[in-house]
Amino acid sequence: MIDYFWLIPMPVLFTMILTLLFGKKLGLKSAYLGMLGTIASFCMSLSVLPDVIAGTVKQVEFTWFLNFKFGFMLDPLTITLLLLVSFLATFILLYANGYMHGEGGLMRFFAEVQLFTFSMLGVVIADNILQAFIFWEIMGLCSYLLIGFWFHKPSAAAAAKKAFLTTRVGDVFMLIGILILYTQTGSLQYHEIFAAAANMDPFWITAATLGLFGGVIGKSAQFPLHVWLPDAMEGPTPVSALIHAATMVKAGIYLMARFMPLLVLAPISQNFMVIIGLITALGTALMALTATDFKRVLAFSTLSQLGFMVVALGTLNMAGAILHLINHAFFKALLFLGAGCVIHVTGTNNIWEMGGVWKKDKVTAITVLIATISIAGIPPLSGFWSKDEILIGAAHANPIFCGILLLASFLTAFYMFRLYYVVFAGKPRTEKHGHACGKTMLIPLVVLSFFAAFSGLFSKPIARFITGETMAHGSNTVMMISIVVALLGFLLATVIYGWQKISAAKIANTFKGICTLLINRYYIDAAYNWFCNHIVVGLAKVADFFDKHVIDGIIHIVRDVTLLVSKAAKWVDIYIVDGIIRGICSGFVFGGSEIRKTSTGQLQQYLLLIAAAVTVMIALVWGGLL
C-alpha cells in the first residue's frame, strides 16, 4: 500500500463526483456517501502509518510540462495531517447529517464539503509549492461557497465575499514568494528548494519566507487580515467546525512548518512572525471578552490560538506548533459542533438569550465543558500540554513573548468559562427554543471529547515522530505559571458569571470606552471600509475621470485629426491624383480620336502621304538634318 500512498485523497474525490450525480436523490444521505470517502482515506492513511513510523519517506513525481512536475510526498508531517483531516471530516459529515435536516441545496453543500476535504488533503500530500498552491486556491473557493451557502441572506453573501477578497490579498503575497523561490532555485519541489537554500542570498530567503507568510496571514486569519473569520460564522456550523477551526485555517501553519528548513535561515521573518502572532493572540482574545454571538466567541478564540501557533513557528518551535494544531483541531471542532447543538436547542446565537442549557442537553454540556477546560490550558487535558510547550519555547526565545502569551492564556480561560457559564448555567433568559439534537449530532461530540481530553497525553511520541526531537521541557517554572494563570482566569469567570459576586454590567460601564473599542473590533473593519469607500473608490473615480476626459479625450482628438487627414487625402486622391490620371487618359483618347480621322480607307490618300513623307525625309537627309 505504501507505494500507492498518493491515492489517499482519491476516495473523497470519487464520492464527491457521486454526490454531484446522485445527491438530489440522496438528500441528507449524501453525508453517508461523503463519509465513505473520508473513511476510506483515513483507513488508507492508517495502513501506511506503520511504514512511516519505521522511517519510510516516499515521493512520487510525474512530469507535467516543460520542467514542471507534480508529485506526492509522504513523511511524518504529511501522514499526521492526512489522518487528522480525514478523521475530523468523517465526524463532521456525520454531524451535518443531523444539522442540515430540512435545508435545501444539500447536494451542493455536501459536494462542496467533500471538494474542500479533497483539496486540503491535496495541499498536505503535494511535494511542491505550486501544486500545493493550486489546492490552496481550491480551498479558498470552497470556503467562499460554503460561507455563502445561505446566499439569500445578505449577511452571508457579504461574509463570503469578504473572506474571498481578504484571503486573496494574502495569496498574492504567497504567489510572489513562490515566484522568488523559483527564480532563485529553478525549482518548485520542496526538497530541491531546501537543498538550494544554503546557496541563496539571505535577502531573497527573507523575501520568499515573508511572501509565503503573507499567504498564511490571509488563510490562517492573522492580523491584519483576520477580519474575515468572525464574519465567516454566517455559514452553517459544520462549515465553521471543518474549515474555520479544524482544517483550512491550519493549512497556513502546516505550510510554514513545511518550510521550516527555509525559515531557520530567515531571522527577520522569524521576528515578524512572532510579532504578528503576539498581536493576534492577545488582540483577538480581548475581542472575545465582549462578543455575544456564540460562534463569534469561538471565532475570536480560533484567531487567538492560531496566534499561539504562529509564535511557536516564529520561535522555531515546530513541535509546539504542530501539537497545538492537532489538539486545537479536536477541542475547537468539538466547541463548534457543541455550539451548533446549543443553537439548535435554544433557537438563537446570542449567548445572552440562552442560559440553563445544562438541564436541556447534558451530553452537549459535558462535552463542551471538556473542550472548555482543554482550551483553557488546565491539566491534564490536551490543550495544556501543547500550550505549555509553546509557552516554554517562547520563554527560551524571549521572556516578554512568554509574558504576552501568558496574558492571552489568562484571557482564554476567562472568556471561555464566561461563555460556558452564560450559556449552560442558570436559567433560560428568553422564551426562545429550538429542537433537540439527534444521535448523529451527539455522537461526534462524544468521540471528539475523548480526543480533546486525552490527545495531549501522546505529545512526546507525536513530537518525536514529527520532528525527530524531544519536547522543550527543561524547567517546571513556566508550566506552573501557566497552570496558575489558567486557574485564575477560571476563578475570575466563576466569580463574575458563575457565582455572580461581581456585576459584569458594572465592569462594562466602568470600562465603557474599552468595551466599545472591543465590540467594534478596534475599528479595523471600519478603517478598511473607510479606506475602500474613500481612498479606493476615490482613486477609482479619479481613474474613471482620467480615462473619460484625458485618455478618451486624446483618443477623440486623434480620431478627429485622423478623419480630417483622411478627408484631405481623399480630396487629393480624387481631384489631383485621379485628375492627372484622367487627364492623361483623356489626352490619349483625344489623340487617338484625331489620328483615327486620318484612317479613311482610300489607297490613293495613303500613297500620297507615303510619298510626302519620303520626300520630307530625303530633304532632311540632303540638308544634313538626319
Side-chain angles (χ1 to χ4, degrees):
M1 180 61 199
I2 188 71
D3 292 327
Y4 300 98
F5 75 92
W6 52 277
L7 292 173
I8 288 175
M10 297 307 165
V12 181
L13 179 63
F14 179 68
T15 55
M16 184 206 73
I17 295 172
L18 292 179
T19 300
L20 290 173
L21 293 174
F22 306 107
K24 287 187 177 180
K25 293 182 179 179
L26 292 174
L28 279 172
K29 293 180 181 179
S30 298
Y32 297 122
L33 182 60
M35 287 175 62
L36 289 176
T38 55
I39 290 172
S41 293
F42 178 77
C43 292
M44 292 169 68
S45 301
L46 204 61
S47 68
V48 300
L49 179 61
D51 294 294
V52 180
I53 293 175
T56 301
V57 175
K58 297 288 289 186
Q59 188 169 2
V60 177
E61 290 184 350
F62 305 92
T63 300
W64 191 0
F65 65 94
L66 301 178
N67 62 334
F68 291 99
K69 298 179 181 179
F70 71 95
F72 307 92
M73 177 174 58
L74 185 68
D75 64 2
L77 184 58
T78 300
I79 194 64
T80 301
L81 269 294
L82 290 174
L83 288 167
L84 182 67
V85 172
S86 56
F87 178 82
L88 289 173
T90 299
F91 284 98
I92 290 172
L93 281 167
L94 176 62
Y95 179 91
N97 174 262
Y99 186 89
M100 299 301 291
H101 178 76
E103 294 288 347
L106 293 175
M107 178 194 72
R108 173 166 53 92
F109 175 81
F110 287 110
E112 289 167 1
V113 169
Q114 292 172 75
L115 178 60
F116 167 81
T117 304
F118 169 74
S119 59
M120 181 68 188
L121 294 174
V123 169
V124 171
I125 205 170
D127 78 331
N128 67 86
I129 186 60
L130 178 60
Q131 185 178 334
F133 184 70
I134 292 171
F135 285 110
W136 178 281
E137 290 300 293
I138 297 174
M139 281 198 303
L141 172 63
C142 294
S143 177
Y144 164 77
L145 294 172
L146 288 167
I147 293 170
F149 176 74
W150 290 314
F151 56 86
H152 54 276
K153 293 172 55 180
S155 57
K161 289 185 287 186
K162 185 176 184 179
F164 188 80
L165 294 174
T166 304
T167 54
R168 291 294 75 70
V169 174
D171 292 348
V172 170
F173 287 99
M174 182 177 175
L175 183 58
I176 292 172
I178 294 171
L179 293 175
I180 290 173
L181 289 175
Y182 182 72
T183 56
Q184 294 298 308
T185 65
S187 176
L188 296 167
Q189 309 299 115
Y190 292 137
H191 66 282
E192 293 180 0
I193 291 173
F194 300 150
N199 298 320
M200 282 180 64
D201 188 321
F203 171 82
W204 291 115
I205 294 178
T206 301
T209 50
L210 287 176
L212 294 174
F213 183 60
V216 175
I217 289 176
K219 197 73 78 181
S220 294
Q222 295 295 286
F223 173 85
L225 299 181
H226 64 284
V227 294
W228 67 270
L229 187 59
D231 291 342
M233 298 302 105
E234 291 289 341
T237 297
V239 174
S240 303
L242 178 65
I243 296 181
H244 305 129
T247 52
M248 188 186 85
V249 292
K250 307 293 176 55
I253 306 302
Y254 162 79
L255 182 71
M256 294 312 295
R258 176 63 70 193
F259 275 91
M260 188 61 68
L262 208 62
L263 189 60
V264 297
L265 303 175
I268 294 176
S269 298
Q270 296 169 27
N271 293 333
F272 182 72
M273 290 177 63
V274 170
I275 292 170
I276 294 298
L278 290 173
I279 293 173
T280 306
L282 183 58
T284 55
L286 289 168
M287 285 191 279
L289 298 176
T290 57
T292 58
D293 183 286
F294 198 146
K295 289 172 65 177
R296 278 181 169 79
V297 174
L298 299 182
F300 289 126
S301 171
T302 296
L303 292 170
S304 183
Q305 299 305 305
L306 289 168
F308 274 80
M309 298 176 214
V310 169
V311 172
L313 291 170
T315 56
L316 303 182
N317 184 4
M318 180 178 168
I322 298 301
L323 287 173
H324 204 52
L325 182 155
I326 296 170
N327 294 335
H328 180 266
F330 288 127
F331 59 66
K332 186 51 64 68
L334 173 56
L335 285 168
F336 269 109
L337 298 184
C341 287
V342 171
I343 293 168
H344 257 56
V345 170
T346 61
T348 180
N349 284 45
N350 192 325
I351 61 174
W352 296 108
E353 295 177 354
M354 297 177 182
V357 177
W358 175 276
K359 298 177 182 178
K360 298 179 182 179
D361 191 347
K362 286 186 169 55
V363 173
T364 300
I366 293 172
T367 54
V368 170
L369 178 60
I370 292 172
T372 301
I373 296 172
S374 184
I375 192 175
I378 297 175
L381 274 67
S382 62
F384 161 75
W385 301 102
S386 54
K387 186 176 290 186
D388 183 52
E389 179 70 10
I390 292 174
L391 291 171
I392 291 174
H396 288 167
N398 190 319
I400 296 176
F401 301 163
C402 183
I404 296 173
L405 291 182
L406 283 170
L407 178 56
S409 298
F410 167 79
L411 294 174
T412 300
F414 176 77
Y415 68 68
M416 286 306 302
F417 277 101
R418 162 190 176 263
L419 176 69
Y420 191 83
Y421 284 127
V422 170
V423 172
F424 292 95
K427 298 179 180 179
R429 296 179 181 84
T430 67
E431 297 299 323
K432 289 185 178 182
H433 62 278
H435 48 274
C437 299
K439 290 182 180 180
T440 57
M441 295 177 68
L442 295 178
I443 291 174
L445 269 66
V446 175
V447 174
L448 290 175
S449 65
F450 174 82
F451 289 93
F454 302 115
S455 64
L457 299 178
F458 304 96
S459 295
K460 287 186 177 181
I462 292 175
R464 190 179 301 111
F465 170 63
I466 295 174
T467 66
E469 301 175 357
T470 58
M471 295 174 65
H473 290 291
S475 171
N476 292 327
T477 304
V478 175
M479 180 178 67
M480 297 304 298
I481 294 174
S482 69
I483 294 174
V484 171
V485 164
L487 291 175
L488 287 175
F490 160 69
L491 289 174
L492 183 60
T494 302
V495 171
I496 297 176
Y497 297 100
W499 300 335
Q500 299 182 358
K501 298 296 184 181
I502 301 175
S503 173
K506 289 183 178 179
I507 297 175
N509 288 330
T510 303
F511 300 98
K512 188 174 181 179
I514 296 176
C515 289
T516 302
L517 181 67
L518 296 177
I519 290 171
N520 289 281
R521 308 181 193 178
Y522 308 107
Y523 296 99
I524 294 176
D525 291 80
Y528 283 160
N529 289 335
W530 181 90
F531 180 80
C532 292
N533 291 333
H534 293 81
I535 304 300
V536 176
V537 173
L539 290 174
K541 289 180 178 179
V542 171
D544 181 64
F545 177 86
F546 186 79
D547 179 59
K548 289 181 178 178
H549 297 86
V550 178
I551 296 177
D552 286 356
I554 294 172
I555 292 173
H556 293 162
I557 292 172
V558 173
R559 177 201 63 190
D560 295 338
V561 171
T562 303
L563 288 174
L564 183 61
V565 171
S566 65
K567 288 180 180 179
K570 179 181 179 182
W571 188 89
V572 171
D573 181 60
I574 294 174
Y575 295 103
I576 297 178
V577 177
D578 288 356
I580 293 172
I581 293 173
R582 284 195 294 270
I584 294 171
C585 292
S586 299
F588 279 109
V589 170
F590 175 77
S593 298
E594 293 300 318
I595 294 172
R596 186 176 60 186
K597 293 178 181 179
T598 63
S599 299
T600 62
Q602 295 180 5
L603 184 59
Q604 298 90 334
Q605 186 180 3
Y606 295 160
L607 290 174
L608 179 62
L609 289 174
I610 293 172
V614 170
T615 302
V616 171
M617 291 179 65
I618 292 172
L620 291 174
V621 172
W622 188 266
L625 297 175
L626 289 176

